[in-house]
Amino acid sequence: MNDLMIPLKEDGRIPMYRQIYDYIKNEIQKGKMKAGEKLPSSRLLAKNLCISRSTVDMAYDQLLSEGYIESLPCKGYYVCRMEGLYFSIEKKVFTEKTSEQKVSAPVYRWDFALNGIAPGGFPHNIWRKLSREVLSQEGDRLFQLGDPCGEFGIRRAVAEYLHSARGVDCDPDQIIIGAGNDYLLMLLWVILGKNRKIAMENPTYLSAYYDLIHMGCQILPVGQDSQGIRIEELEKTGADTVYVMPSHQFPMGMVMPLARRMELLKWAGSREGRYIIEDDYDSEFRYKGQPIPALSGFDQKGCVIYLGTFSKSLAPSVRVSYMVLPPALIKDYLALGHLFSVTVSRTDQKILEMFLGEGHYERHLNRMRAVYKNKHDLMVRCLKEMSHICAFSGENAGVHLVLKFCNGLTEKEAVRRAKEAGIKVYGVSEYRIQKSEKEENMVLLGYATMEDKDIEEAMKKLKEIWEI
Amino acid sequence: MNDLMIPLKEDGRIPMYRQIYDYIKNEIQKGKMKAGEKLPSSRLLAKNLCISRSTVDMAYDQLLSEGYIESLPCKGYYVCRMEGLYFSIEKKVFTEKTSEQKVSAPVYRWDFALNGIAPGGFPHNIWRKLSREVLSQEGDRLFQLGDPCGEFGIRRAVAEYLHSARGVDCDPDQIIIGAGNDYLLMLLWVILGKNRKIAMENPTYLSAYYDLIHMGCQILPVGQDSQGIRIEELEKTGADTVYVMPSHQFPMGMVMPLARRMELLKWAGSREGRYIIEDDYDSEFRYKGQPIPALSGFDQKGCVIYLGTFSKSLAPSVRVSYMVLPPALIKDYLALGHLFSVTVSRTDQKILEMFLGEGHYERHLNRMRAVYKNKHDLMVRCLKEMSHICAFSGENAGVHLVLKFCNGLTEKEAVRRAKEAGIKVYGVSEYRIQKSEKEENMVLLGYATMEDKDIEEAMKKLKEIWEI
DNA sequence: GGGTATTTGTCCGTATGTATG
DNA sequence: TCATACATACGGACAAATACC
């Protein structure tokens, strides 16, 4: 009985320890838990229910004192023999209505989604604790209007993080905090002026592409090789700005080596007013090879705009991103007269500031890196058994892989077959901003949100159905 | 490495397991412990440090989960190969520059600010309670990606509120949640298409004006009389869209009567593709007269876009606004393919949902209405004693008043004299998007942030210094 | 070379201090 | 003051690997 799942409601009306107590008592009375049966250990149950062990302890204590269970030190808790008592307590059970979406959705049993985080990956308790601290300490002050760029505290924390972890040397005053990359890109578009010709890698991160397109921007697609964007091609487009993801290109997954980075910087520095937008969206997760500082760290001439986010590394719903502007552009931004208010609530800013400042972020990243490396290695192991079907790339970083079929399977057919088997995979063609004429044969598999067990099951199925 | 001696301080400030963790992590990062090296066993280290084994276990556990070390059961713990993160040991320290504004700011003893809320006006305890509930109840779910328009729950709550309090009849699916009006205006600009000619009242809410201007929008200023925007003039401009604040025009403070509203709706309905953007920013605060439903409530043809916010009614730092789009535009928005993610964190959305759903918002508004009515009445009393100096208007709603000098004082001079006396008041000319040729003679006084005592003192001073 | 003592990671229940309302 | 919940720290029991006789 280690899979005990107790539905907890923390509306404050019924204490949690009481709910646990009630539930277990009921199970014993109904006979679902039999005499001698072992209860889950306090640690295990606490972990499963995402609460403190002491809370479980309190529930067990009460059961103990009422004779429902006995405790064998260093062994566990066991259900006692309850004799001579007659129970007839029938509890009414309420079930939640399945929402309509849920009814129409269950086409996919597995989803190799490209966003989202590992289940249980969000550092709940810490976040909750910090949230409580912030709300009780800061008082009214936090609900007055704040700095339009974001509070100094979080900007400093981000600057320190960028310095030590990404090699980016910037002043807090160069940083702008905003609710998501989409928003910051819109802001950037205003700051840079509306006549920019922006080059992008093809395929690329579609959200950024559409952001810019819908703002009325002219986008010039540029091809890429194994080292990243092709500089020669970039030069030919006549673009004055380029949007790149050097640390882990999305979706192709290549890491831009130092040499190419230097070429890119040279491109930007060779003409006045050229800018590089460096989207460093998931640089936090690397599993192999030398860490390469962000492009922005090598920037001497102030032509790199750095974009980073907590949405990928912490949780998608933490909609906080940051942008480092070169001094010249920050001046332009301030000249706009603070016309935009900051889009992130001050409480969230303060929580994040503390999260970074107290080292929680570093620890969280380390933990998640270990978690993702596990999944990554598992994926690689599964894929190695499929080498007659496909080759893979984009490994060693990020949380997704690129598969290229070598058995003649097309992207379309692969996606279709996977769908029939209840597995969602993503075709590379979806991310092209300039469609290729020839048939595509690559798919993307994100593994962040998948449980290890599901990865194994799904990969086994894929191996079967992609056989030709 | 069995001679590991870790200097432990047991002053209770840093937990012991944490000190051990920090120490070892540091050794590994500095390279003093190399990959593959064996750590002392938990028992040995515990003995050496004279602490419990479990304490060492906790430290090792954390190092384990973060991937610094690996555990081989029955053998020992070993240092892992740490790759991926870029370490720069030296920490950089940033200090906040005392911003120039702060240095030059303390000129003012009183500030009749036009934004901000009453001191103590934010319902702290409730907010904190809800925040705690949300964070402990919702668990992980809340940190996965949510609905791009905002969670259904808050959209439903807003729809219900708008229906009952503002007479706006809309479906939750017509609502888009966003971080601030600025953001929603940018979004709207994308949805409406970039060739719109937008008319605005003159003077108007500058932030909205600059948002649109910087997006590259063509803005046509339109004059207004005591009833609001002049329809004839609007017609002449050739605009296809108009931005208005019918319930309390900023900054002039007039309330658009029913007749004018109908004229405006007629204007919009008379030509295909005409839209009215109704900014209902502070309709919550009315002190007199019949409440007039929002323009959107009379809209039969689907040509009104409604903008509302919690930034004014709750607190500036609660950056949550909402937009109600007519069905046709919602379709256009969805056709854009959800390219924008929602900009408000899901926790904040959930908190607000409960805040509305449990009736806290209604109670809060009632309370604040009473608070502001007090201040409002106090202002009016003070101003009546200044009737030889100025007339006032814009009363009965909102949290600011408009003063018009009748003793020949100019805006410029009035602002200057007030500044000398340590009082900040705001000239109407600042809010004009088309400057007037003749000398201005109106100023704006916001009373939301002022304590009653300060209002009395400041108004008394103003009476003296504005005497001619 | 096979039994045995020792070492080791792992899991267990327990106790205490602290923060919050 | 008390109930609730969490963080920290303790020491015992067990099974598997290892070292030793």
Side-chain angles (χ1 to χ4, degrees), chain A residues 3-4 48 57 73 93 133 155-156 216 236 272 280 420:
Chain A
D3 53 347
L4 204 56
N48 283 343
D57 279 349
V93 179
E133 271 178 51
R155 286 187 284 116
R156 174 174 53 197
K236 274 185 205 155
E272 189 67 31
D280 209 35
E420 272 184 6

Side-chain angles (χ1 to χ4, degrees), chain A residues 43 53 71 77:
Chain A
R43 288 163 210 270
R53 256 185 33 233
S71 131
Y77 291 98

Side-chain angles (χ1 to χ4, degrees), chain B residues 176-181 184 308-311 318-323 344:
Chain B
I176 298 172
I177 304 293
N181 278 24
L184 287 179
T309 182
F310 294 104
S311 300
V318 175
R319 294 223 65 76
V320 183
S321 296
Y322 44 91
M323 175 162 70
V344 181

